C-alpha cells in the first residue's frame, strides 16, 4: 500500500470537515466503499485524504460519486458530456454548449431571462460525480429529460466510459489547457476559498502535487491523454478542444463546436450575428484568466520542471505535434483527418473556386482579392452604412480552408450556406486536392507562389506571434496579423548569406527542368 502525506502547515485557516466542500469530505461513503478504499493507495493534501482509483486521485465523497455513476448511470445516445481536468475551461465550454442549444428555443417574451442570465453554467449543466451522483446511484434525472441531456465531468475518459460498455456512445467534448495556467488558476481558486490572499505556500504545495501527479483528478497527463487518444480513435464522438484556441479564435471554435454537436449555424444565423451574440453572452472574448498568466507567478525553475514532465509524459502520443506523411505531404494528425474527411465527403460543383498555396505564401491576399471581385458584382442597393464583408470578417472566415476548418471534424459538414460560386481555400498539394474530382467536372483552382525565403521569414514571424501571445493562430485575429508586411525580399533583413545560399541550391536542384523560376 502506498501512503504519502505531504502537508505543509501554512497561513491558511484550519477547517473542520463540515466546513469543507461536500465533494471533498468523507461523510457520505457507503460501507462497501469504505472496504474498497481500505485497499487503495492514498495521500493527503491540505484539504484531506485522496485515494487512487483506476489510476486517478479522488477525495472520499467524490470517489463515492464516481462509483455511484459507474453503477447507476443509464446513457442515452443523444447525451452530451463536457469534460476537462479541473480549472481548464469547463465553465466556458458549458456556457457555449448551453447557448448553442438554447438558441433553438422560442423566447416569445423578452421579459424571460436567458438561462445563463439567471443561473450559472454549473447549475444548468451539472457534474456527474460532484453533483448528480454524489449521494446516490439512482438520482432523479427528470429535470434533464429533454434531449439532448447535458452533463459534465472531471473523470478521465476510461473511467467515464464504464457505463457505455453495452450501449451506443454519446458525444464527449474535452477542453485542454496549458497545465502551467491550470496550476495558477487552481492556486487563485484555492486561495480565494481560504480567503488568505495569494499564499505562495499553497502555490508551492500545488506545484509539487501537480508534478507528482497525485492531486485531485490527477495525474494531469493521463487525464489529457485519455481524451486525446479517444479523439483520435473516434473523432465522430469525441471532440478535443484547447482553451488557448477558444481564447484566440472564438468564432471559429464555437462554429466547430456547433458542427460537432449537430447544431451548426445556418447562413442566415451567421449573417444575423448569432455567433457574436453567443460569444458576448458567454463572455468568451474576455476570459477571466489570460493565456500565459503562469509567467507572472511561476519561477523559471518551476516552468522548466513542468515543461520537462510534459515533454516526457506526452512523448510518442502525437499530442505535442507529431506529423505524418500522406500522399507525399506532411500533416499534423488532426489536419490529416481533415484531409481524409475532405477526400471522402467533398461534393464538387463546376462553379467552385479554390484558392491554394503553400502556407504563408499570399493565400490571405489572394482570398481578399477574389472575394472583392465577386462582391462588386452584387447589387449594393442597401444603405452605404452597410459594411463590406472584408470590413466585418477576415478572408479566412469568408473563404474557409477545406482541410483545417470545414472538414476538420466531419466528412459531411453543412456547406449549404455558401452561395455560387462557392469560395474555398487549401494548403493541400494538387494531387491530394483533386481526389474528389475523379468522376466529376473540375472547378477552378488558383495557386499563388512566393519566394520560399520570404515564406520562411513570414512563417517565422507568424510562429513567433503564436508562441508569444496565444499558443496557436486565431481565425479571428485582427487583419493586421494576417497582413503583416508582404514585402518582397524581406528575407535579406533576417537570413544569413549561408542560409540564403543553401536555400538557393535546394531550389535550383529541385526545380531543375520544370520551367519554374524565381
Amino acid at each position: 500500500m502506498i501512503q504519502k502525506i505531504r502537508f505543509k502547515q501554512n497561513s491558511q485557516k484550519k477547517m473542520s470537515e463540515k466546513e469543507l466542500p461536500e465533494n471533498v469530505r468523507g461523510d457520505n461513503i457507503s460501507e462497501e466503499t469504505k472496504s474498497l478504499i481500505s485497499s487503495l493507495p492514498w495521500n493527503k493534501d491540505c484539504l484531506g485524504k485522496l485515494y487512487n482509483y483506476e489510476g486517478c486521485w479522488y477525495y472520499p465523497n467524490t470517489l463515492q460519486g464516481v462509483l455511484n455513476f459507474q453503477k447507476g448511470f443509464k446513457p442515452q445516445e443523444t447525451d452530451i458530456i463536457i469534460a476537462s481536468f479541473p480549472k481548464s475551461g469547463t465553465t466556458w465550454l458549458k456556457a457555449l454548449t448551453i447557448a448553442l442549444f438554447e438558441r433553438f428555443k422560442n423566447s416569445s417574451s423578452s421579459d424571460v431571462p436567458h438561462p445563463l442570465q439567471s443561473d450559472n453554467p454549473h447549475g444548468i449543466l451539472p457534474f456527474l460525480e460532484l453533483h448528480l451522483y454524489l449521494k446516490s446511484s439512482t438520482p432523479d434525472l427528470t429535470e434533464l429529460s429533454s434531449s439532448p441531456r447535458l452533463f459534465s465531468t472531471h473523470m478521465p475518459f476510461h473511467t467515464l466510459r464504464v457505463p457505455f460498455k453495452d450501449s451506443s456512445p454519446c458525444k464527449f467534448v474535452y477542453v485542454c489547457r496549458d497545465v502551467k495556467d491550470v496550476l495558477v488558476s487552481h492556486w487563485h481558486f484555492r486561495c480565494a476559498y481560504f480567503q488568505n490572499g495569494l499564499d505562495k505556500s499553497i502555490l508551492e504545495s500545488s506545484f509539487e502535487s501537480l508534478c507528482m501527479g497525485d492531486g485531485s483528478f490527477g495525474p494531469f497527463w493521463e487525464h489529457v491523454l485519455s481524451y486525446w487518444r479517444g479523439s483520435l480513435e473516434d473523432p465522430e464522438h469525441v471532440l478535443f478542444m484547447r482553451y488557448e484556441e477558444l481564447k484566440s479564435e472564438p468564432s471559429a471554435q464555437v462554429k466547430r463546436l456547433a458542427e460537432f454537436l449537430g447544431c451548426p449555424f445556418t447562413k442566415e444565423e451567421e449573417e444575423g450575428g448569432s455567433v457574436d451574440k453567443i460569444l458576448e453572452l458567454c463572455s468568451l472574448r474576455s476570459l477571466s484568466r489570460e493565456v500565459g498568466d503562469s509567467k507572472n507567478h511561476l519561477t523559471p525553475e518551476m516552468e522548466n520542471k513542468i515543461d520537462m514532465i510534459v515533454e516526457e509524459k506526452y512523448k510518442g502520443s502525437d499530442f505535442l505535434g507529431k506529423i505524418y506523411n500522406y500522399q507525399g505531404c506532411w500533416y499534423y494528425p488532426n489536419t490529416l483527418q481533415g484531409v481524409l474527411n475532405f477526400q471522402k465527403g467533398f461534393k464538387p460543383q463546376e462553379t467552385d473556386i479554390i484558392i491554394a498555396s503553400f502556407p504563408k505564401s499570399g493565400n490571405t491576399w489572394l482570398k481578399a482579392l477574389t472575394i472583392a471581385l465577386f462582391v462588386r458584382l452584387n447589387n449594393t442597393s442597401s444603405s452605404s452604412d452597410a459594411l463590406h464583408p472584408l470590413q466585418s470578417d477576415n478572408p479566412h472566415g469568408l473563404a474557409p480552408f477545406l482541410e483545417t476548418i470545414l472538414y476538420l471534424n466531419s466528412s459531411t459538414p453543412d456547406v449549404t450556406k455558401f452561395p455560387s460560386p462557392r469560395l474555398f481555400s487549401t494548403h493541400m498539394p494538387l494531387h491530394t486536392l483533386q481526389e474528389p474530382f475523379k468522376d466529376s467536372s473540375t472547378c477552378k483552382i488558383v495557386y499563388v507562389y512566393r519566394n520560399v525565403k520570404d515564406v520562411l521569414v513570414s512563417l517565422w514571424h507568424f510562429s513567433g506571434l503564436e508562441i508569444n501571445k496565444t499558443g496557436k493562430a486565431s481565425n479571428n485575429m485582427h487583419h493586421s496579423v494576417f497582413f503583416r508586411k508582404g514585402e518582397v525580399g524581406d528575407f535579406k533583413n533576417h537570413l544569413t548569406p549561408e542560409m540564403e545560399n543553401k536555400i538557393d541550391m535546394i531550389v535550383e536542384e529541385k526545380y531543375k527542368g520544370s520551367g519554374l523560376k524565381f
Side-chain angles (χ1 to χ4, degrees):
M1 182 186 300
I2 299 174
Q3 297 184 12
K4 294 190 292 182
I5 300 179
R6 186 175 62 255
F7 176 58
K8 294 182 179 180
Q9 191 69 33
N10 50 43
S11 58
Q12 69 200 42
K13 63 181 181 180
K14 186 94 172 167
M15 288 186 170
S16 66
E17 184 172 64
K18 288 187 177 179
E19 291 179 292
L20 293 171
E22 189 173 21
N23 63 288
V24 171
R25 304 198 300 254
D27 58 354
N28 187 47
I29 56 177
S30 66
E31 291 301 317
E32 184 181 3
T33 301
K34 288 180 182 177
S35 176
L36 170 65
I37 66 175
S38 66
S39 64
L40 295 177
W42 64 274
N43 67 65
K44 192 173 184 179
D45 68 4
C46 60
L47 293 180
K49 281 188 175 181
L50 298 101
Y51 297 88
N52 191 290
Y53 173 70
E54 295 185 341
C56 189
W57 293 93
Y58 304 100
Y59 293 109
N61 280 5
T62 302
L63 175 57
Q64 183 66 64
V66 170
L67 296 171
N68 288 341
F69 162 77
Q70 290 185 327
K71 179 182 178 181
F73 183 67
K74 306 298 181 187
Q76 296 178 6
E77 194 170 346
T78 55
D79 287 344
I80 293 169
I81 300 179
I82 305 300
S84 74
F85 190 75
K87 309 310 296 177
S88 295
T90 323
T91 310
W92 302 108
L93 190 55
K94 283 185 179 184
L96 279 175
T97 304
I98 293 164
L100 285 172
F101 285 108
E102 280 293 325
R103 78 186 202 271
F104 295 116
K105 296 183 178 179
N106 182 20
S107 54
S108 55
S109 172
S110 59
D111 296 331
V112 178
H114 190 283
L116 288 173
Q117 295 173 322
S118 58
D119 198 353
N120 69 65
H122 298 307
I124 303 170
L125 205 162
F127 281 100
L128 290 162
E129 72 280 14
L130 302 179
H131 295 143
L132 289 176
Y133 287 86
L134 187 64
K135 296 182 177 179
S136 171
S137 60
T138 57
D140 182 8
L141 302 182
T142 54
E143 291 186 1
L144 299 167
S145 58
S146 61
S147 181
R149 301 187 304 178
L150 306 179
F151 305 105
S152 63
T153 186
H154 287 319
M155 288 181 277
F157 195 43
H158 60 275
T159 301
L160 172 65
R161 294 192 71 185
V162 169
F164 294 87
K165 287 180 178 177
D166 302 317
S167 63
S168 299
C170 64
K171 287 188 175 181
F172 306 90
V173 183
Y174 185 80
V175 60
C176 169
R177 187 183 186 188
D178 186 317
V179 72
K180 296 191 288 289
D181 285 335
V182 168
L183 171 62
V184 169
S185 183
H186 181 267
W187 172 50
H188 277 275
F189 182 78
R190 184 157 286 192
C191 287
Y193 184 81
F194 285 116
Q195 299 179 346
N196 275 357
L198 293 180
D199 188 336
K200 284 289 186 180
S201 66
I202 297 179
L203 176 61
E204 292 167 2
S205 177
S206 298
F207 167 73
E208 187 178 354
S209 179
L210 182 82
C211 292
M212 293 294 291
D214 59 10
S216 180
F217 291 100
F220 75 84
W221 55 85
E222 292 296 342
H223 203 284
V224 171
L225 288 175
S226 69
Y227 286 94
W228 173 249
R229 292 172 182 136
S231 71
L232 296 179
E233 294 167 3
D234 189 7
E236 290 191 7
H237 292 98
V238 185
L239 176 65
F240 192 97
M241 304 189 78
R242 297 176 190 262
Y243 181 96
E244 292 74 19
E245 292 174 346
L246 283 169
K247 174 70 177 177
S248 65
E249 47 184 41
S251 292
Q253 290 303 313
V254 74
K255 287 191 279 188
R256 179 184 176 217
L257 177 62
E259 187 79 38
F260 175 79
L261 295 178
C263 56
F265 290 94
T266 63
K267 177 186 176 183
E268 291 73 24
E269 282 185 303
E270 290 195 38
E271 291 177 347
S274 290
V275 177
D276 284 332
K277 289 176 184 176
I278 284 178
L279 295 176
E280 187 66 30
L281 177 66
C282 299
S283 302
L284 201 63
R285 297 197 187 279
S286 55
L287 296 179
S288 59
R289 292 282 167 218
E290 289 296 318
V291 172
D293 186 44
S294 60
K295 293 185 181 297
N296 299 319
H297 305 285
L298 303 185
T299 65
E301 292 76 17
M302 295 168 83
E303 288 194 67
N304 289 336
K305 184 171 182 178
I306 292 175
D307 288 341
M308 289 175 64
I309 291 172
V310 167
E311 185 173 355
E312 176 195 349
K313 299 299 183 181
Y314 292 164
K315 192 174 183 179
S317 68
D318 300 345
F319 185 75
L320 292 180
K322 199 170 183 180
I323 57 177
Y324 298 86
N325 191 294
Y326 173 69
Q327 294 184 344
C329 190
W330 294 93
Y331 302 100
Y332 291 107
N334 280 4
T335 304
L336 176 57
Q337 183 64 61
V339 170
L340 296 172
N341 288 341
F342 162 78
Q343 290 185 326
K344 177 183 178 182
F346 183 68
K347 306 299 181 186
Q349 296 178 8
E350 196 166 340
T351 55
D352 287 344
I353 295 171
I354 300 177
I355 307 299
S357 75
F358 190 77
K360 309 311 298 176
S361 296
N363 189 290
T364 311
W365 297 105
L366 190 55
K367 281 186 185 182
L369 283 172
T370 306
I371 292 163
L373 287 172
F374 282 105
V375 167
R376 87 184 201 282
L377 301 178
N378 295 333
N379 182 14
T380 56
S381 56
S382 59
S383 169
S384 60
D385 294 334
L387 290 176
H388 189 284
L390 288 172
Q391 293 175 312
S392 58
D393 199 352
N394 70 66
H396 297 310
L398 299 169
F401 282 99
L402 291 163
E403 69 275 21
T404 58
I405 299 294
L406 280 179
Y407 288 86
L408 186 63
N409 296 308
S410 172
S411 61
T412 57
D414 180 15
V415 292
T416 57
K417 58 188 176 183
F418 296 101
S420 181
R422 302 186 304 179
L423 303 180
F424 304 113
S425 62
T426 186
H427 288 319
M428 288 182 279
L430 185 60
H431 60 276
T432 300
L433 172 65
Q434 286 188 310
E435 188 78 21
F437 295 89
K438 289 180 177 178
D439 303 315
S440 62
S441 300
T442 57
C443 64
K444 289 184 176 180
I445 301 171
V446 183
Y447 185 81
V448 58
Y449 173 65
R450 185 183 186 188
N451 186 319
V452 71
K453 289 175 284 193
D454 281 332
V455 169
L456 173 61
V457 169
S458 182
L459 185 60
W460 170 56
H461 277 282
F462 192 71
S463 297
L465 175 81
E466 291 178 341
I467 294 169
N468 294 331
K469 289 189 177 178
T470 68
K472 186 163 184 181
S474 161
N475 281 330
N476 273 332
M477 283 182 178
H478 191 270
H479 281 80
S480 62
V481 172
F482 295 105
F483 304 106
R484 188 181 69 85
K485 288 173 68 176
E487 185 175 318
V488 174
D490 185 43
F491 65 85
K492 293 183 181 294
N493 299 317
H494 303 284
L495 303 185
T496 65
E498 292 78 15
M499 295 167 80
E500 287 191 60
N501 289 335
K502 185 170 184 177
I503 293 175
D504 288 340
M505 289 175 64
I506 293 172
V507 167
E508 184 176 356
E509 176 193 349
K510 300 299 182 182
Y511 290 169
K512 191 175 183 179
S514 69
L516 181 62
K517 295 182 180 180
F518 218 106

